[in-house]
């Protein structure tokens, strides 16, 4: 939980489920899902995957109340233990799932120097949030039943309070950049102290489409006036290529790097990807995900050739 490198892979609690099960419950890609048992309920990100078995879901158990609001999977588990060893029966539980129809979705990054903001953030009324470490700070997913505009106002107001209460930040050196689209209900805000990004938030009525890894790296980058607007547009420059979501945490290799190698460098197997990028050559936990990316890249190449 303290490792930015490990958190960069999947930085929030999730339920991996079969795509047919997701379709049966009208759950789309990257939407939130409520999981309920006789013991309680949680809200996590839906991760449809052909690796999952039909009618069986997988969720990691390591998320706690410290880094997520509704992601503590163990809260669903019946407190049965082995009578001899005391080992808890923490591996399975009958549950029901349903789509969590949030009115707003958001993603944000916070610089490590703005330590007080995270405490203030948790006071904002978000039904769902999950925080993970990244280089120079935290990255946060959040969602709730208030409007996107209300969430934007709450984020901006709490950010201003955190800055005003910070002894080492000169208010005169702080600047804000905003992007508002009332018609699409999209709101973005970034705050800078001199050239350092203190915090940024991307808020939408749908799951936010921004490269999380790229946005998190902006906490460790100096920002000129031009690059600040590029940040709100969620567009990286040619000098800051978007690697995509991190797949191989050992070597920090992203999905777009793997897809590029599969489509353009004739890396048609996991081993060839390993030779080209090192991905999957250490712990090996990402090899199945690399294989899926290769398969999708081959499908796209076949479609392009046919067209």
């Amino acid at each position: 939980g303290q490792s930015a490198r490990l958190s960069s892979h999947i930085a929030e609690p999730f339920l991996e489920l079969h795509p047919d099960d997701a379709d049966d419950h009208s759950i789309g890609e990257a939407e939130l899902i409520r999981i309920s048992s006789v013991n309680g309920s949680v809200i996590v990100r839906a991760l449809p995957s052909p690796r999952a078995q039909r009618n069986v879901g997988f969720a990691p158990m390591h998320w706690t109340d410290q880094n997520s609001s509704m992601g503590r999977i163990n809260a669903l588990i019946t407190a049965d233990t082995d009578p001899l060893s005391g080992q808890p029966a923490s591996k399975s539980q009958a549950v029901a799932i349903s789509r969590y129809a949030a009115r707003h979705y958001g993603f944000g990054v916070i610089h490590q120097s703005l330590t007080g903001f995270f405490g203030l953030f948790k006071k904002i009324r978000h039904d769902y949030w999950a925080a993970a470490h990244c280089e120079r700070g935290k990255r946060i997913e959040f969602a709730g039943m208030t409007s996107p505009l209300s969430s934007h106002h709450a984020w901006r107001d709490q950010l201003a309070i955190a800055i005003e209460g910070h002894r080492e930040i000169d208010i005169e050196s702080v600047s804000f950049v905003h992007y508002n689209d009332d018609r699409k209900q999209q709101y973005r805000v970034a705050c800078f102290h001199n050239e350092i990004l203190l915090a940024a938030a991307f808020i939408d009525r749908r799951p936010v489409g921004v490269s999380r890894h790229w946005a998190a790296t902006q906490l460790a980058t100096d920002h000129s006036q031009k690059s600040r607007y590029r940040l709100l547009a969620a567009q990286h420059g040619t000098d800051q290529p978007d690697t995509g979501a991190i797949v191989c945490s050992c070597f920090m290799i992203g999905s777009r790097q793997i897809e590029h190698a599969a489509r353009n460098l004739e890396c048609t197997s996991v081993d060839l990807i390993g030779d080209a990028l090192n991905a999957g050559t250490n712990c090996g936990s990402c090899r199945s995900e690399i294989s899926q990316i290769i398969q999708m890249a081959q499908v796209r190449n076949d479609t392009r050739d046919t067209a």
Side-chain angles (χ1 to χ4, degrees), residues 211 213-214 217-218 236-244 256-257:
S211 172
H213 178 67
W214 175 81
T217 62
Q218 300 310 295
H236 56 85
T238 55
D239 59 332
Q240 296 177 324
D242 181 10
T243 61
R256 295 193 179 188
Q257 292 172 283

Side-chain angles (χ1 to χ4, degrees), residues 6-20:
L6 294 179
S7 295
S8 63
H9 185 203
I10 300 180
E12 60 182 322
F14 64 91
L15 178 75
E16 188 176 64
L17 73 166
H18 194 278
D20 291 344

Side-chain angles (χ1 to χ4, degrees), residues 17-18 65 71 137 156 167 172 179 181-182 184-185 200-201 205 222 226 252 257 260 267:
L17 73 166
H18 194 278
D65 292 338
R156 184 192 60 193
R167 296 180 179 179
E172 299 297 324
Y179 168 83
D181 188 329
D182 292 328
K184 293 182 178 180
Q185 297 186 56
R205 62 181 176 181
D222 290 339
K226 182 179 179 180
M252 299 303 288
Q257 292 172 283
H260 173 79
C267 295

Side-chain angles (χ1 to χ4, degrees), residues 5-301:
R5 181 180 290 270
L6 294 179
S7 295
S8 63
H9 185 203
I10 300 180
E12 60 182 322
F14 64 91
L15 178 75
E16 188 176 64
L17 73 166
H18 194 278
D20 291 344
D21 290 328
D23 290 341
D24 289 347
H25 293 83
S26 301
I27 298 167
E29 187 77 31
E31 289 190 327
L32 295 172
I33 183 171
R34 186 184 295 275
I35 313 173
S36 303
S37 75
V38 294
N39 302 301
S41 66
V42 299
I43 299 174
V44 300
R45 190 74 63 178
L47 186 63
S49 170
R51 295 180 300 183
Q53 299 180 46
R54 195 77 159 89
N55 298 317
V56 177
F58 165 79
M61 65 174 65
H62 64 271
W63 290 87
T64 70
D65 292 338
Q66 290 182 311
N67 49 24
S68 66
S69 59
M70 292 284 289
R72 192 165 67 87
I73 294 296
N74 287 335
L76 302 177
I77 307 301
T78 300
D80 290 335
T81 58
D82 181 83
L84 296 178
S85 68
Q87 172 71 27
S90 58
K91 298 296 184 182
S92 64
Q93 179 71 43
V95 298
I97 62 172
S98 60
R99 176 175 175 265
Y100 174 73
R103 289 187 61 198
H104 79 260
Y105 294 86
F107 172 74
V109 292
I110 305 171
H111 195 273
Q112 60 192 8
S113 64
L114 205 60
T115 53
F117 177 71
F118 185 55
L120 293 170
F121 166 82
K122 291 193 288 186
K123 295 180 181 179
I124 302 174
R125 296 197 59 177
H126 295 298
D127 297 316
Y128 171 84
W129 64 261
H133 287 278
C134 63
E135 185 182 1
R136 304 284 180 88
K138 288 183 182 292
R139 51 184 285 185
I140 304 176
E141 300 282 351
F142 55 96
M145 297 308 296
T146 60
S147 70
L149 181 59
S150 295
S151 178
H152 168 67
H153 286 162
W155 177 283
R156 184 192 60 193
D157 293 346
Q158 297 286 17
L159 182 57
I161 293 172
I163 292 171
E164 290 174 1
H166 200 296
R167 296 180 179 179
E168 298 180 4
I169 295 179
D170 179 13
I171 301 297
E172 299 297 324
S173 302
V174 173
S175 60
F176 283 81
V177 180
H178 299 270
Y179 168 83
N180 299 334
D181 188 329
D182 292 328
R183 182 178 64 84
K184 293 182 178 180
Q185 297 186 56
Q186 294 178 343
Y187 303 94
R188 298 173 179 180
V189 57
C191 175
F192 301 87
H193 180 224
N194 294 320
E195 294 186 341
I196 297 174
L197 174 64
L198 288 178
F202 305 80
I203 300 169
D204 203 325
R205 62 181 176 181
R206 297 186 178 93
V208 175
V210 59
S211 172
R212 270 67 171 162
H213 178 67
W214 175 81
T217 62
Q218 300 310 295
L219 293 172
T221 303
D222 290 339
H223 292 272
S224 64
Q225 198 67 34
K226 182 179 179 180
S227 70
R228 299 178 186 191
Y229 292 99
R230 182 187 299 157
L231 171 66
L232 284 192
Q235 294 179 350
H236 56 85
T238 55
D239 59 332
Q240 296 177 324
D242 181 10
T243 61
I246 296 299
V247 175
C248 176
S249 297
C250 297
F251 295 102
M252 299 303 288
I253 304 299
S255 59
R256 295 193 179 188
Q257 292 172 283
I258 296 170
E259 182 180 0
H260 173 79
R263 297 186 67 178
N264 302 297
L265 304 180
E266 298 184 355
C267 295
T268 55
S269 70
V270 176
D271 289 337
L272 289 175
I273 290 291
D275 292 340
L277 303 175
N278 285 331
T281 62
N282 190 31
C283 74
S285 64
C286 61
R287 290 176 67 86
S288 61
E289 192 170 352
I290 292 173
S291 179
Q292 288 186 43
I293 295 173
I294 293 172
Q295 292 175 23
M296 291 302 299
Q298 291 173 339
V299 168
R300 292 190 179 99
N301 278 345

